[in-house]
PDB file of all heavy atoms in Angstrom:
ATOM      1  N   ASP A  55       6.348  14.177  -0.259  1.00  0.00           N
ATOM      2  CA  ASP A  55       6.771  15.244  -1.163  1.00  0.00           C
ATOM      3  C   ASP A  55       8.051  15.876  -0.635  1.00  0.00           C
ATOM      4  O   ASP A  55       7.991  16.840   0.137  1.00  0.00           O
ATOM      5  CB  ASP A  55       5.697  16.341  -1.246  1.00  0.00           C
ATOM      6  CG  ASP A  55       4.535  15.988  -2.143  1.00  0.00           C
ATOM      7  OD1 ASP A  55       4.771  15.407  -3.211  1.00  0.00           O
ATOM      8  OD2 ASP A  55       3.392  16.303  -1.777  1.00  0.00           O
ATOM      9  N   ASP A  56       9.206  15.356  -1.042  1.00  0.00           N
ATOM     10  CA  ASP A  56      10.440  16.060  -0.680  1.00  0.00           C
ATOM     11  C   ASP A  56      10.522  17.399  -1.415  1.00  0.00           C
ATOM     12  O   ASP A  56      11.153  18.333  -0.950  1.00  0.00           O
ATOM     13  CB  ASP A  56      11.669  15.203  -0.999  1.00  0.00           C
ATOM     14  CG  ASP A  56      11.981  14.210   0.113  1.00  0.00           C
ATOM     15  OD1 ASP A  56      11.125  14.013   1.006  1.00  0.00           O
ATOM     16  OD2 ASP A  56      13.085  13.623   0.098  1.00  0.00           O
ATOM     17  N   ASP A  57       9.899  17.460  -2.580  1.00  0.00           N
ATOM     18  CA  ASP A  57       9.787  18.711  -3.331  1.00  0.00           C
ATOM     19  C   ASP A  57       8.435  18.692  -4.027  1.00  0.00           C
ATOM     20  O   ASP A  57       8.234  17.972  -4.998  1.00  0.00           O
ATOM     21  CB  ASP A  57      10.924  18.831  -4.353  1.00  0.00           C
ATOM     22  CG  ASP A  57      11.016  20.219  -4.967  1.00  0.00           C
ATOM     23  OD1 ASP A  57      10.003  20.956  -4.917  1.00  0.00           O
ATOM     24  OD2 ASP A  57      12.086  20.565  -5.496  1.00  0.00           O
ATOM     25  N   TRP A  58       7.494  19.470  -3.519  1.00  0.00           N
ATOM     26  CA  TRP A  58       6.126  19.432  -4.043  1.00  0.00           C
ATOM     27  C   TRP A  58       6.009  20.106  -5.407  1.00  0.00           C
ATOM     28  O   TRP A  58       5.043  19.872  -6.146  1.00  0.00           O
ATOM     29  CB  TRP A  58       5.162  20.099  -3.062  1.00  0.00           C
ATOM     30  CG  TRP A  58       5.372  21.582  -2.945  1.00  0.00           C
ATOM     31  CD1 TRP A  58       6.323  22.217  -2.198  1.00  0.00           C
ATOM     32  CD2 TRP A  58       4.646  22.617  -3.625  1.00  0.00           C
ATOM     33  NE1 TRP A  58       6.236  23.577  -2.367  1.00  0.00           N
ATOM     34  CE2 TRP A  58       5.207  23.856  -3.224  1.00  0.00           C
ATOM     35  CE3 TRP A  58       3.567  22.615  -4.511  1.00  0.00           C
ATOM     36  CZ2 TRP A  58       4.738  25.071  -3.701  1.00  0.00           C
ATOM     37  CZ3 TRP A  58       3.093  23.832  -4.987  1.00  0.00           C
ATOM     38  CH2 TRP A  58       3.679  25.050  -4.574  1.00  0.00           C
ATOM     39  N   ARG A  59       7.012  20.927  -5.782  1.00  0.00           N
ATOM     40  CA  ARG A  59       6.994  21.655  -7.060  1.00  0.00           C
ATOM     41  C   ARG A  59       8.414  21.646  -7.632  1.00  0.00           C
ATOM     42  O   ARG A  59       9.111  22.650  -7.618  1.00  0.00           O
ATOM     43  CB  ARG A  59       6.506  23.089  -6.822  1.00  0.00           C
ATOM     44  CG  ARG A  59       6.303  23.930  -8.083  1.00  0.00           C
ATOM     45  CD  ARG A  59       5.724  25.301  -7.721  1.00  0.00           C
ATOM     46  NE  ARG A  59       5.453  26.104  -8.902  1.00  0.00           N
ATOM     47  CZ  ARG A  59       6.174  27.192  -9.246  1.00  0.00           C
ATOM     48  NH1 ARG A  59       7.182  27.608  -8.489  1.00  0.00           N
ATOM     49  NH2 ARG A  59       5.852  27.865 -10.333  1.00  0.00           N
ATOM     50  N   PRO A  60       8.858  20.516  -8.157  1.00  0.00           N
ATOM     51  CA  PRO A  60      10.251  20.387  -8.596  1.00  0.00           C
ATOM     52  C   PRO A  60      10.634  21.414  -9.659  1.00  0.00           C
ATOM     53  O   PRO A  60       9.860  21.688 -10.581  1.00  0.00           O
ATOM     54  CB  PRO A  60      10.317  18.965  -9.162  1.00  0.00           C
ATOM     55  CG  PRO A  60       9.197  18.240  -8.488  1.00  0.00           C
ATOM     56  CD  PRO A  60       8.106  19.264  -8.326  1.00  0.00           C
ATOM     57  N   GLN A  61      11.836  21.946  -9.515  1.00  0.00           N
ATOM     58  CA  GLN A  61      12.273  22.989 -10.436  1.00  0.00           C
ATOM     59  C   GLN A  61      12.303  22.502 -11.879  1.00  0.00           C
ATOM     60  O   GLN A  61      12.001  23.258 -12.805  1.00  0.00           O
ATOM     61  CB  GLN A  61      13.655  23.501 -10.022  1.00  0.00           C
ATOM     62  CG  GLN A  61      14.138  24.709 -10.813  1.00  0.00           C
ATOM     63  CD  GLN A  61      13.200  25.908 -10.667  1.00  0.00           C
ATOM     64  OE1 GLN A  61      12.791  26.247  -9.561  1.00  0.00           O
ATOM     65  NE2 GLN A  61      12.856  26.559 -11.787  1.00  0.00           N
ATOM     66  N   TRP A  62      12.649  21.236 -12.085  1.00  0.00           N
ATOM     67  CA  TRP A  62      12.719  20.740 -13.457  1.00  0.00           C
ATOM     68  C   TRP A  62      11.337  20.742 -14.125  1.00  0.00           C
ATOM     69  O   TRP A  62      11.242  20.950 -15.333  1.00  0.00           O
ATOM     70  CB  TRP A  62      13.360  19.361 -13.528  1.00  0.00           C
ATOM     71  CG  TRP A  62      12.671  18.262 -12.762  1.00  0.00           C
ATOM     72  CD1 TRP A  62      12.877  17.902 -11.467  1.00  0.00           C
ATOM     73  CD2 TRP A  62      11.665  17.379 -13.269  1.00  0.00           C
ATOM     74  NE1 TRP A  62      12.065  16.847 -11.118  1.00  0.00           N
ATOM     75  CE2 TRP A  62      11.325  16.502 -12.208  1.00  0.00           C
ATOM     76  CE3 TRP A  62      11.034  17.230 -14.507  1.00  0.00           C
ATOM     77  CZ2 TRP A  62      10.355  15.506 -12.361  1.00  0.00           C
ATOM     78  CZ3 TRP A  62      10.079  16.232 -14.652  1.00  0.00           C
ATOM     79  CH2 TRP A  62       9.751  15.382 -13.586  1.00  0.00           C
ATOM     80  N   ARG A  63      10.284  20.560 -13.341  1.00  0.00           N
ATOM     81  CA  ARG A  63       8.936  20.669 -13.911  1.00  0.00           C
ATOM     82  C   ARG A  63       8.583  22.141 -14.160  1.00  0.00           C
ATOM     83  O   ARG A  63       7.962  22.478 -15.165  1.00  0.00           O
ATOM     84  CB  ARG A  63       7.904  20.014 -12.986  1.00  0.00           C
ATOM     85  CG  ARG A  63       7.895  18.478 -13.075  1.00  0.00           C
ATOM     86  CD  ARG A  63       6.727  17.856 -12.341  1.00  0.00           C
ATOM     87  NE  ARG A  63       6.521  16.469 -12.737  1.00  0.00           N
ATOM     88  CZ  ARG A  63       6.755  15.409 -11.965  1.00  0.00           C
ATOM     89  NH1 ARG A  63       7.195  15.571 -10.724  1.00  0.00           N
ATOM     90  NH2 ARG A  63       6.544  14.178 -12.425  1.00  0.00           N
ATOM     91  N   VAL A  64       8.988  23.016 -13.247  1.00  0.00           N
ATOM     92  CA  VAL A  64       8.721  24.454 -13.408  1.00  0.00           C
ATOM     93  C   VAL A  64       9.480  24.995 -14.613  1.00  0.00           C
ATOM     94  O   VAL A  64       8.970  25.850 -15.353  1.00  0.00           O
ATOM     95  CB  VAL A  64       9.110  25.219 -12.126  1.00  0.00           C
ATOM     96  CG1 VAL A  64       8.938  26.721 -12.324  1.00  0.00           C
ATOM     97  CG2 VAL A  64       8.271  24.739 -10.952  1.00  0.00           C
ATOM     98  N   ASP A  65      10.711  24.509 -14.833  1.00  0.00           N
ATOM     99  CA  ASP A  65      11.484  24.956 -15.996  1.00  0.00           C
ATOM    100  C   ASP A  65      10.753  24.642 -17.298  1.00  0.00           C
ATOM    101  O   ASP A  65      10.846  25.396 -18.271  1.00  0.00           O
ATOM    102  CB  ASP A  65      12.861  24.278 -16.006  1.00  0.00           C
ATOM    103  CG  ASP A  65      13.780  24.801 -14.910  1.00  0.00           C
ATOM    104  OD1 ASP A  65      13.505  25.876 -14.349  1.00  0.00           O
ATOM    105  OD2 ASP A  65      14.778  24.115 -14.598  1.00  0.00           O
ATOM    106  N   LEU A  66      10.025  23.545 -17.316  1.00  0.00           N
ATOM    107  CA  LEU A  66       9.296  23.152 -18.521  1.00  0.00           C
ATOM    108  C   LEU A  66       7.981  23.925 -18.652  1.00  0.00           C
ATOM    109  O   LEU A  66       7.615  24.371 -19.747  1.00  0.00           O
ATOM    110  CB  LEU A  66       9.021  21.644 -18.495  1.00  0.00           C
ATOM    111  CG  LEU A  66      10.254  20.750 -18.616  1.00  0.00           C
ATOM    112  CD1 LEU A  66       9.889  19.294 -18.358  1.00  0.00           C
ATOM    113  CD2 LEU A  66      10.903  20.903 -19.989  1.00  0.00           C
ATOM    114  N   ILE A  67       7.255  24.070 -17.538  1.00  0.00           N
ATOM    115  CA  ILE A  67       5.996  24.834 -17.527  1.00  0.00           C
ATOM    116  C   ILE A  67       6.043  25.779 -16.328  1.00  0.00           C
ATOM    117  O   ILE A  67       5.759  25.378 -15.198  1.00  0.00           O
ATOM    118  CB  ILE A  67       4.771  23.908 -17.435  1.00  0.00           C
ATOM    119  CG1 ILE A  67       4.701  23.009 -18.680  1.00  0.00           C
ATOM    120  CG2 ILE A  67       3.484  24.719 -17.313  1.00  0.00           C
ATOM    121  CD1 ILE A  67       3.490  22.097 -18.727  1.00  0.00           C
ATOM    122  N   PRO A  68       6.440  27.033 -16.529  1.00  0.00           N
ATOM    123  CA  PRO A  68       6.612  27.970 -15.403  1.00  0.00           C
ATOM    124  C   PRO A  68       5.368  28.125 -14.534  1.00  0.00           C
ATOM    125  O   PRO A  68       5.486  28.422 -13.336  1.00  0.00           O
ATOM    126  CB  PRO A  68       6.981  29.286 -16.102  1.00  0.00           C
ATOM    127  CG  PRO A  68       7.656  28.852 -17.371  1.00  0.00           C
ATOM    128  CD  PRO A  68       6.894  27.620 -17.808  1.00  0.00           C
ATOM    129  N   GLY A  69       4.191  27.927 -15.088  1.00  0.00           N
ATOM    130  CA  GLY A  69       2.973  28.075 -14.301  1.00  0.00           C
ATOM    131  C   GLY A  69       2.617  26.855 -13.474  1.00  0.00           C
ATOM    132  O   GLY A  69       1.590  26.866 -12.779  1.00  0.00           O
ATOM    133  N   TYR A  70       3.450  25.833 -13.513  1.00  0.00           N
ATOM    134  CA  TYR A  70       3.139  24.596 -12.802  1.00  0.00           C
ATOM    135  C   TYR A  70       2.962  24.867 -11.305  1.00  0.00           C
ATOM    136  O   TYR A  70       3.890  25.310 -10.628  1.00  0.00           O
ATOM    137  CB  TYR A  70       4.257  23.570 -13.028  1.00  0.00           C
ATOM    138  CG  TYR A  70       4.008  22.228 -12.368  1.00  0.00           C
ATOM    139  CD1 TYR A  70       2.947  21.427 -12.751  1.00  0.00           C
ATOM    140  CD2 TYR A  70       4.847  21.768 -11.358  1.00  0.00           C
ATOM    141  CE1 TYR A  70       2.719  20.199 -12.154  1.00  0.00           C
ATOM    142  CE2 TYR A  70       4.634  20.537 -10.753  1.00  0.00           C
ATOM    143  CZ  TYR A  70       3.561  19.755 -11.157  1.00  0.00           C
ATOM    144  OH  TYR A  70       3.338  18.543 -10.548  1.00  0.00           O
ATOM    145  N   LYS A  71       1.767  24.650 -10.817  1.00  0.00           N
ATOM    146  CA  LYS A  71       1.397  24.841  -9.409  1.00  0.00           C
ATOM    147  C   LYS A  71       1.737  26.246  -8.879  1.00  0.00           C
ATOM    148  O   LYS A  71       1.840  26.444  -7.667  1.00  0.00           O
ATOM    149  CB  LYS A  71       2.083  23.793  -8.518  1.00  0.00           C
ATOM    150  CG  LYS A  71       1.630  22.359  -8.795  1.00  0.00           C
ATOM    151  CD  LYS A  71       2.237  21.373  -7.803  1.00  0.00           C
ATOM    152  CE  LYS A  71       1.741  19.961  -8.053  1.00  0.00           C
ATOM    153  NZ  LYS A  71       2.322  18.992  -7.104  1.00  0.00           N
ATOM    154  N   SER A  72       1.885  27.225  -9.773  1.00  0.00           N
ATOM    155  CA  SER A  72       2.327  28.549  -9.332  1.00  0.00           C
ATOM    156  C   SER A  72       1.313  29.220  -8.409  1.00  0.00           C
ATOM    157  O   SER A  72       1.693  30.019  -7.539  1.00  0.00           O
ATOM    158  CB  SER A  72       2.601  29.451 -10.542  1.00  0.00           C
ATOM    159  OG  SER A  72       1.437  29.600 -11.337  1.00  0.00           O
ATOM    160  N   HIS A  73       0.036  28.895  -8.573  1.00  0.00           N
ATOM    161  CA  HIS A  73      -0.990  29.511  -7.738  1.00  0.00           C
ATOM    162  C   HIS A  73      -0.944  28.995  -6.305  1.00  0.00           C
ATOM    163  O   HIS A  73      -1.622  29.542  -5.432  1.00  0.00           O
ATOM    164  CB  HIS A  73      -2.372  29.249  -8.336  1.00  0.00           C
ATOM    165  CG  HIS A  73      -2.718  27.797  -8.455  1.00  0.00           C
ATOM    166  ND1 HIS A  73      -2.032  26.937  -9.282  1.00  0.00           N
ATOM    167  CD2 HIS A  73      -3.675  27.049  -7.842  1.00  0.00           C
ATOM    168  CE1 HIS A  73      -2.550  25.724  -9.181  1.00  0.00           C
ATOM    169  NE2 HIS A  73      -3.540  25.770  -8.311  1.00  0.00           N
ATOM    170  N   ARG A  74      -0.141  27.973  -6.045  1.00  0.00           N
ATOM    171  CA  ARG A  74      -0.033  27.413  -4.700  1.00  0.00           C
ATOM    172  C   ARG A  74       1.283  27.785  -4.022  1.00  0.00           C
ATOM    173  O   ARG A  74       1.599  27.261  -2.953  1.00  0.00           O
ATOM    174  CB  ARG A  74      -0.163  25.886  -4.771  1.00  0.00           C
ATOM    175  CG  ARG A  74      -1.583  25.467  -5.125  1.00  0.00           C
ATOM    176  CD  ARG A  74      -1.690  24.095  -5.752  1.00  0.00           C
ATOM    177  NE  ARG A  74      -1.074  23.043  -4.960  1.00  0.00           N
ATOM    178  CZ  ARG A  74      -1.006  21.774  -5.365  1.00  0.00           C
ATOM    179  NH1 ARG A  74      -1.521  21.422  -6.537  1.00  0.00           N
ATOM    180  NH2 ARG A  74      -0.441  20.857  -4.598  1.00  0.00           N
ATOM    181  N   VAL A  75       2.035  28.721  -4.621  1.00  0.00           N
ATOM    182  CA  VAL A  75       3.321  29.120  -4.050  1.00  0.00           C
ATOM    183  C   VAL A  75       3.107  30.251  -3.042  1.00  0.00           C
ATOM    184  O   VAL A  75       2.573  31.302  -3.377  1.00  0.00           O
ATOM    185  CB  VAL A  75       4.299  29.584  -5.148  1.00  0.00           C
ATOM    186  CG1 VAL A  75       5.597  30.097  -4.517  1.00  0.00           C
ATOM    187  CG2 VAL A  75       4.600  28.439  -6.108  1.00  0.00           C
ATOM    188  N   ALA A  76       3.554  30.012  -1.815  1.00  0.00           N
ATOM    189  CA  ALA A  76       3.494  31.061  -0.797  1.00  0.00           C
ATOM    190  C   ALA A  76       4.753  31.911  -0.829  1.00  0.00           C
ATOM    191  O   ALA A  76       4.714  33.118  -0.573  1.00  0.00           O
ATOM    192  CB  ALA A  76       3.322  30.442   0.590  1.00  0.00           C
ATOM    193  N   GLU A  77       5.870  31.267  -1.144  1.00  0.00           N
ATOM    194  CA  GLU A  77       7.156  31.977  -1.168  1.00  0.00           C
ATOM    195  C   GLU A  77       8.127  31.219  -2.055  1.00  0.00           C
ATOM    196  O   GLU A  77       8.277  29.997  -1.923  1.00  0.00           O
ATOM    197  CB  GLU A  77       7.738  32.081   0.250  1.00  0.00           C
ATOM    198  CG  GLU A  77       9.078  32.797   0.319  1.00  0.00           C
ATOM    199  CD  GLU A  77       9.679  32.769   1.718  1.00  0.00           C
ATOM    200  OE1 GLU A  77       8.974  32.344   2.666  1.00  0.00           O
ATOM    201  OE2 GLU A  77      10.854  33.157   1.869  1.00  0.00           O
ATOM    202  N   GLU A  78       8.752  31.930  -2.992  1.00  0.00           N
ATOM    203  CA  GLU A  78       9.770  31.313  -3.826  1.00  0.00           C
ATOM    204  C   GLU A  78      11.101  31.294  -3.074  1.00  0.00           C
ATOM    205  O   GLU A  78      11.467  32.285  -2.432  1.00  0.00           O
ATOM    206  CB  GLU A  78       9.917  32.064  -5.148  1.00  0.00           C
ATOM    207  CG  GLU A  78       8.687  31.940  -6.044  1.00  0.00           C
ATOM    208  CD  GLU A  78       8.903  32.544  -7.411  1.00  0.00           C
ATOM    209  OE1 GLU A  78      10.007  33.096  -7.647  1.00  0.00           O
ATOM    210  OE2 GLU A  78       7.986  32.463  -8.244  1.00  0.00           O
TER     211      GLU A  78
END
Side-chain angles (χ1 to χ4, degrees):
D55 281 320
D56 276 13
D57 191 339
W58 68 279
R59 186 176 183 251
Q61 187 60 47
W62 60 271
R63 282 190 164 110
V64 176
D65 289 343
L66 293 171
I67 297 183
Y70 182 64
K71 295 185 178 180
S72 59
H73 60 295
R74 290 156 54 183
V75 176
E77 180 185 351
E78 293 187 358

